[in-house]
Amino acid sequence: MTGQHVTTVRFHLDVLTRESLVRQFQQPPRGRGRPRIGYTAVQRSVGYQDLAQVLADQLGSDPRRRSDAAIAAGRAWGARLETMEQPITSLDDAKDATMTMMSELGYAPERDPGSETGDQVLIRMTACPLRDLARTHSEVVCGVHLGLMREVIDRNGGRDTVNVRLHPFVQPELCVARLEALRTVLVPDAATMPDARPETGEPRIATPSGGRVAPQLRTADPQLRNGDAHVAKQSTK
């Protein structure tokens, strides 16, 4: 079958046997003579898909709770990663950090320059290692990935700068991470309102009681914030 001389094949099989990459076994007798020796490959990989399936099944039956638990697990994972410490003060910073991290983890991220604006960046995830499990447990697998990205961005100072959303299976083999810049909203000063006293004033930035500028969203979708919103319903978008 290999086109190699039997002595050559036997030599290589002996080497593979010593390295524990194949094992020998006796084949059933076929008439007279000594039983023939067979070889089979040694399966050394751990069944991570099976393990992930078991763990996902243990998170309960409520999709919301499963998603919340998965996002929390993703954040815990992100906190343990030895990622580069790069301050995130802009959307471009968040994009670079996310691309680097997901590339190192084997997700083969790709930029989508045609969709980039000053307010959003799309990152295409083309090689999810847990894609098969995500097809049946998207709220768990995608929740972990979402929590991971959020934690890395937040940990490097981007919590009030960039929001992350994840869109599973926009194509059969493709998921998309959406990074969106959080923007402050200018509101008129009370002095400039029609029923106010006729005083001149400049627009001011609305701030909460603590005096901190409140980041506002580009759209009214309440799930855009990094507040660990439920991602189960996002798989249908």
Side-chain angles (χ1 to χ4, degrees):
M1 292 176 64
T2 64
Q4 304 293 323
H5 191 275
V6 63
T7 303
T8 302
V9 174
R10 186 178 295 118
F11 168 79
H12 287 292
L13 286 171
D14 288 344
V15 173
L16 293 172
T17 301
R18 289 197 301 270
E19 296 294 330
S20 300
L21 297 175
V22 302
R23 65 179 180 85
Q24 295 182 357
F25 66 94
Q26 277 194 348
Q27 295 183 349
R30 298 181 181 179
R32 298 181 179 180
R34 297 170 56 187
R36 300 179 65 180
I37 300 297
Y39 297 85
T40 184
V42 175
Q43 299 295 327
R44 311 182 80 178
S45 61
V46 177
Y48 288 111
Q49 287 283 351
D50 293 336
L51 175 59
Q53 177 87 44
V54 171
L55 294 175
D57 290 339
Q58 298 305 307
L59 293 180
S61 58
D62 181 66
R64 178 59 180 269
R65 292 187 178 182
R66 288 158 64 90
S67 174
D68 291 345
I71 292 174
R75 283 191 174 276
W77 183 15
R80 295 173 63 90
L81 285 179
E82 295 182 0
T83 57
M84 60 180 181
E85 296 296 331
Q86 176 181 344
I88 295 177
T89 60
S90 67
L91 187 60
D92 283 340
D93 292 341
K95 175 194 64 180
D96 293 341
T98 303
M99 289 280 293
T100 298
M101 175 188 66
M102 300 309 285
S103 179
E104 291 177 352
L105 293 176
Y107 289 80
E110 297 176 354
R111 288 177 51 196
D112 188 0
S115 66
E116 292 185 9
T117 67
D119 294 327
Q120 76 169 16
V121 170
L122 298 186
I123 299 177
R124 298 159 55 91
M125 304 295 178
T126 63
C128 175
L130 296 175
R131 182 183 292 124
D132 291 340
L133 180 61
R135 296 189 195 280
T136 57
H137 295 75
S138 63
E139 74 281 2
V140 175
V141 176
C142 300
V144 169
H145 295 158
L146 181 61
L148 171 64
M149 289 185 284
R150 286 178 173 175
E151 179 63 27
V152 170
I153 289 175
D154 291 355
R155 193 176 71 182
N156 286 281
R159 181 177 182 84
D160 294 333
T161 304
V162 178
N163 173 71
V164 186
R165 287 197 293 172
L166 185 61
H167 302 284
F169 298 113
V170 296
Q171 295 179 10
E173 305 296 325
L174 175 67
C175 299
V176 173
R178 181 189 300 270
L179 277 59
E180 296 177 316
L182 298 176
R183 302 174 62 185
T184 56
V185 176
L186 289 174
V187 297
D189 190 281
T192 67
M193 300 301 290
D195 58 349
R197 291 178 299 174
E199 296 179 0
T200 59
E202 297 295 330
R204 61 184 177 85
I205 298 178
T207 59
S209 58
R212 184 182 180 186
V213 175
Q216 302 295 325
L217 298 177
R218 188 166 51 86
T219 69
D221 187 346
Q223 293 190 1
L224 296 185
R225 296 302 306 276
N226 279 8
D228 294 351
H230 179 40
V231 298
K233 295 182 181 178
Q234 294 179 4
S235 62
T236 62
K237 295 183 180 179

